[in-house]
């Protein structure tokens, strides 16, 4: 009897911890809640360790991730897997053992707020293996340096160095990759790096081989407006809460973490910030770039006065290499055809939707694939037993798009 009571108390405590009111329409809410409870526990533990001065919160998180999640390079009957370097950057390569002699190639950047994760994690290993098999393509998953040790532009430079090496005649030949059929891709912060690389290399006249496609999965693309409709609508939707994204940005840009409230108030892009021109504002003006059904009844939040000189103190906020949405139309027009995946229940939804629209306006062929029941991370983070229906659906559609367009 006492045991049963204790069990019931424990169970309801666990349910209370896990339960979170979610907006209706999220795919399989219980799976998302469980994933969120797991994330929250890790975040809390690392916050405590951080506060006690034991170690940086990111280090603890990455320790746990590499302990639980990172897997060895293990070949199977269909795919040969090796760890190597690409332009000096650690990279895992997935090569199909059979199939055509000359293969398609995809360069992939993992997500994790420029601070967490690895291309060698189980979830990415699974994704890249599946891509190699389904597409009969060579997939290279890049382990760029991470914050807080590395800050912008280190991650970007690693991504660029790996990309240039990937497109070199030597690497293409060594891995039997067709120079006419190569793609750059990534999710979340990795989508940010992929978009930045696509812009830089698209405008590089000296390159002999160019990417044929860019595939961006719920990418993060700007840090000037934390009140887009999707930031407003999804601020409390797991797993990427609004303050966490602001924290990731500050950490990536090497800025003082105490500026978080300034970003969350949009005080860094108030109308008195001289560093933010009208032209810049127009590139992320969602009242004109988003369709009415996404704007809903949300209102822009741009104050007349904010916190002075933030942009002067953190110039990287305005750097297109960090925020690809700020690119000129001409630059966008020189990037390859694009696939942009977005999720309704994601603070970054509008980053992706605005980018898709701006690419389209610049004359790029864009497939905008939006998931009404999707949430941030659904395609990769929540893998296998936790993988939701929308996770499988989006992964299959992503691979299908690559199959038809690469
Ligand atoms: C955004 O675009 C709308 C519609 O074109 C315009 O009325 C508004 O002034 C613009 N806002 C900013 C901040 O540029
Ligand atoms: C934002 O700017 C306003 C006006 O200058 C100021 O009153 C407010 O305290 C600022 N908020 C933050 C979080 O810095």
């Amino acid at each position: 009897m006492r045991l049963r009571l204790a069990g019931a108390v424990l169970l309801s405590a666990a349910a209370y911890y896990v339960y979170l009111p979610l907006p209706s329409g999220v795919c399989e809410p219980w799976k998302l809640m469980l994933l969120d409870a797991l994330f929250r526990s890790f975040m809390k533990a690392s916050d405590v360790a951080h506060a006690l001065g034991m170690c940086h919160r990111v280090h603890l998180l990455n320790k746990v991730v590499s302990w639980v999640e990172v897997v060895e390079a293990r070949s199977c009957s269909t795919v040969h897997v090796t760890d190597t370097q690409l332009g000096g950057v650690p990279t895992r390569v997935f090569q199909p053992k059979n199939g055509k002699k000359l293969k398609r190639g995809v360069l992939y950047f993992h997500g994790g707020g420029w601070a967490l994760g690895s291309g060698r994690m189980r979830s990415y290993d699974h994704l890249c293996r599946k891509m190699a098999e389904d597409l009969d393509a060579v997939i290279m998953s890049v382990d760029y340096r991470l914050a807080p040790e590395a800050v912008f532009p280190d991650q970007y430079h690693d991504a660029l160095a790996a990309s240039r090496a990937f497109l070199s005649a030597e690497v293409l030949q060594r891995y039997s990759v067709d120079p006419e059929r190569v793609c750059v891709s990534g999710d979340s912060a990795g989508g940010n790096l992929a978009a930045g690389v696509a812009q830089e290399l698209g405008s590089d006249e000296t390159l002999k081989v160019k990417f044929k496609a860019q595939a961006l999965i719920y990418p993060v693309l700007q840090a000037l407006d934390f009140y887009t409709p999707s930031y407003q609508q999804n601020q409390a939707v797991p797993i990427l809460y609004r303050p966490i994204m602001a924290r990731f940005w500050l950490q990536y840009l090497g800025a003082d973490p105490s500026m978080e409230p300034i970003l969350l108030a949009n005080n860094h892009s108030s109308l008195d910030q001289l560093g933010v021109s009208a032209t810049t504002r127009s590139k992320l003006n969602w009242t004109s770039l988003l369709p009415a059904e996404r704007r809903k009844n949300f209102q822009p939040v741009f104050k007349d006065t904010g916190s002075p000189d933030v942009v002067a103190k953190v110039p990287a906020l305005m750097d297109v290499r960090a925020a690809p949405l700020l690119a000129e139309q001409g630059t966008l027009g020189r990037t390859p055809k694009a696939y942009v995946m977005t999720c309704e229940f994601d603070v970054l939804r509008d980053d992706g939707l605005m980018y898709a629209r701006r690419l389209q306006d610049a004359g790029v062929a864009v497939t905008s694939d939006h998931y009404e029941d999707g949430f941030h991370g659904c395609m990769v983070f929540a893998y296998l037993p936790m993988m939701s229906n929308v996770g499988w659906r989006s992964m299959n559609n992503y691979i299908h798009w690559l199959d038809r367009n690469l």
Side-chain angles (χ1 to χ4, degrees):
M1 181 66 200
R2 214 181 287 166
L3 206 64
R4 228 182 274 168
L5 189 69
V9 168
L10 260 178
L11 209 65
S12 36
Y16 177 77
Y17 185 71
V18 170
Y19 180 76
L20 187 80
L22 289 176
S24 66
V26 177
C27 185
E28 295 169 288
W30 275 101
K31 282 192 184 164
L32 180 54
M33 278 181 219
L34 278 171
L35 188 72
D36 172 64
L38 208 68
F39 250 69
R40 261 186 299 142
S41 312
F42 284 145
M43 286 286 194
K44 286 248 169 68
S46 60
D47 279 348
V48 169
H50 189 93
L52 292 175
M54 281 160 62
C55 61
H56 194 285
R57 63 165 67 77
V58 161
H59 291 159
L60 188 73
L61 279 173
N62 270 332
K63 276 249 168 60
V64 174
V65 164
S66 55
W67 180 55
V68 182
E69 278 287 289
V70 165
V71 290
E72 298 281 301
R74 188 176 36 79
S75 298
C76 57
S77 59
T78 50
V79 185
H80 185 59
V81 184
T82 43
D83 284 334
T84 178
Q85 298 226 332
L86 204 53
V89 186
T91 299
R92 179 163 288 184
V93 182
F94 302 80
Q95 292 170 274
K97 288 183 175 166
N98 310 309
K100 288 210 192 86
K101 202 159 186 296
L102 201 57
K103 304 207 182 286
R104 299 182 279 192
V106 180
L107 187 66
Y108 196 92
F109 302 112
H110 69 83
W114 306 280
L116 299 171
S118 159
R120 291 171 292 124
M121 279 163 71
R122 207 182 302 270
S123 37
Y124 288 106
D125 194 88
H126 170 255
L127 170 69
C128 293
R129 225 170 258 275
K130 183 168 166 55
M131 286 166 74
E133 278 178 1
D134 293 3
L135 295 168
D136 185 27
V138 176
I139 316 296
M140 303 209 186
S141 179
V142 181
D143 266 331
Y144 51 89
R145 281 169 292 168
L146 298 175
E149 279 69 29
V151 296
F152 176 80
D154 289 350
Q155 284 84 337
Y156 172 81
H157 279 159
D158 282 0
L160 202 55
S163 302
R164 287 190 185 281
F166 179 70
L167 297 178
S168 70
E170 189 209 333
V171 168
L172 294 171
Q173 233 157 42
R174 187 184 328 143
Y175 293 97
S176 303
V177 173
D178 186 344
E180 312 266 305
R181 305 175 81 185
V182 281
C183 172
V184 63
S185 186
D187 63 291
S188 197
N192 166 285
L193 296 171
V197 160
Q199 289 182 8
E200 176 66 26
L201 299 185
S203 293
D204 186 340
E205 300 293 338
T206 66
L207 269 187
K208 291 215 181 65
V209 175
K210 297 229 178 193
F211 285 116
K212 183 183 180 188
Q214 54 181 328
L216 315 175
I217 310 301
Y218 32 74
V220 47
L221 299 164
Q222 60 87 25
L224 288 178
D225 189 359
F226 285 88
Y227 281 95
T228 60
S230 61
Y231 264 114
Q232 297 190 47
Q233 171 181 289
N234 303 309
Q235 54 179 315
V237 174
I239 50 180
L240 189 61
Y241 298 98
R242 188 168 167 269
I244 293 181
M245 195 57 239
R247 195 188 284 179
F248 276 142
W249 265 115
L250 288 169
Q251 187 168 256
Y252 179 41
L253 302 182
D256 187 342
S258 70
M259 289 168 72
E260 188 182 312
I262 295 178
L263 260 57
L264 291 176
N266 260 7
N267 267 15
H268 62 309
S269 49
S270 55
L271 300 172
D272 65 339
Q273 296 282 345
L274 296 177
V276 190
S277 66
T279 318
T280 299
R281 289 180 195 282
S282 70
K283 291 171 183 162
L284 53 127
N285 183 345
W286 53 261
T287 49
S288 57
L289 291 171
L290 289 183
E293 81 254 27
R294 304 290 163 215
R295 294 199 305 270
K296 299 176 184 160
N297 290 321
F298 293 107
Q299 294 300 319
V301 178
F302 283 115
K303 302 192 180 112
D304 290 333
T305 59
S307 315
D309 301 333
V310 184
V311 170
K313 274 186 237 150
V314 191
L317 282 165
M318 298 285 296
D319 197 315
V320 301
R321 298 171 305 167
L325 185 59
L326 303 183
E328 302 292 339
Q329 191 174 52
T331 307
L332 293 178
R334 288 185 289 274
T335 65
K337 76 176 149 190
Y339 173 85
V340 184
M341 188 277 225
T342 48
C343 292
E344 184 60 23
F345 301 107
D346 179 3
V347 291
L348 300 178
R349 178 196 74 184
D350 298 340
D351 282 28
L353 290 178
M354 285 193 279
Y355 199 61
R357 168 70 193 274
R358 290 206 58 222
L359 285 170
Q360 226 154 26
D361 290 350
V364 176
V366 181
T367 302
S368 181
D369 197 8
H370 183 70
Y371 291 85
E372 292 291 351
D373 59 345
F375 53 90
H376 192 78
C378 63
M379 193 182 101
V380 185
F381 300 160
Y383 78 105
L384 297 180
M386 295 287 285
M387 191 85 160
S388 59
N389 174 285
V390 68
W392 287 116
R393 239 185 302 134
S394 59
M395 186 186 281
N396 285 329
N397 290 342
Y398 162 66
I399 293 176
H400 193 214
W401 185 87
L402 286 172
D403 195 30
R404 275 171 303 153
N405 290 276
L406 188 61

